[in-house]
Amino acid sequence: MIGVGLIGGSLARALRVAGVVDEVIGCGRSAANLEKAAELGVIDRFTHDPAEAVRGADMVFIAVPLGAMEQTFSAIKDYLGDATVVTDGGSVKGSVVVDARAAFGKVPTRLVPGHPIAGTERSGVDASFPELYQNRRVILTPLPETDSDALDRVTRMWQSCGAQVTSMGVAHHDEILAATSHLPHMLAFGLVDALVRMRKNDEIFRYAAGGFRDFTRIASSNPVMWRDICIANREALGEMLRGFSDEMAVLAETIRRADGDHLLEIFQRAKKARDRYVDGLGAVSKTDLE
Ligand SMILES: NC(=O)c1ccc[n+]([C@@H]2O[C@H](COP(=O)([O-])OP(=O)(O)OC[C@H]3O[C@@H](n4cnc5c(N)ncnc54)[C@H](OP(=O)(O)O)[C@@H]3O)[C@@H](O)[C@H]2O)c1
């Protein structure tokens, strides 16, 4: 387990609850987080050396920020066994594939890029919990050269944690996540930062109520992690942000014109989509909304 924070720590805990691991070795930079992880029983032992961590391992899970992926791959590449499966939890998949290619010379057949669609705004092993992946989706983005046995083992690992595993292409994953996760995080970070920098922000925050709290919860997320996600997915996210700012310009103009009919149309369409999503009916298609 390289990176024993929210994502890595929760996976280790879930695998222990499922009874499918013999020994979990943690790896990271700070002794304090790893000592805590051992104390909590999340890992059995730890090392700061990725090469030592992967020696003799059946499965290596990498859950470090995206900016540390390439150096992690480089640090382990000469120490993996022939049968060792490597997978990761990084939020962007295109950059992980590029980093793997840079470190290994080609994407190893036993590397299965993955992304659990689960998380909270908290970080570190203290924030981890074994139920994080229960009934949550995990997207795997295997490449044509990915070994089917490695894919099968990673699939079964996530299923043992209660997750629903799906597969899709790398670029498709990054486009979908730009819309559903990365854009909303940009809105939350951007809104809070804009308000902080406004005059009288003390008063703005004093009177901020439930809606503000709900909407901005994710602006408490780890800044380093989000810096790395934005840079790693800059193309798809940039396109989403441009499209969204065009939509906001339309909304601003509709408000300026006091066009109540158009406002109602926008809000009713959004409410219908959101209610349906919360009801758990799954995907909302464009035709559903028309
Ligand atoms: N949080 C979410 O909601 C979420 C959801 C899905 C996927 N992800 C992805 O999962 C990964 C981990 O996120 P997280 O939320 O678990 O973050 P986290 O709680 O901050 O944990 C990251 C861990 O990585 C270690 N780390 C950081 N930099 C490192 C480096 N250069 N070398 C080795 N270890 C390093 C940290 O320990 P030290 O500082 O002690 O090294 C820390 O324990 C990220 O790639 C993220 O994109 C996150």
Side-chain angles (χ1 to χ4, degrees), residues 65-89:
L66 289 164
M69 285 286 176
E70 186 182 338
Q71 74 189 59
T72 304
F73 287 140
S74 296
I76 64 173
K77 76 172 188 307
D78 295 328
Y79 304 91
L80 296 167
D82 289 345
T84 308
V85 174
V86 180
T87 185
D88 76 297

Side-chain angles (χ1 to χ4, degrees), residues 52-72:
E52 191 187 324
V54 304
R55 206 169 276 134
D58 297 316
M59 175 80 76
V60 173
F61 183 69
I62 305 175
V64 297
L66 289 164
M69 285 286 176
E70 186 182 338
Q71 74 189 59
T72 304

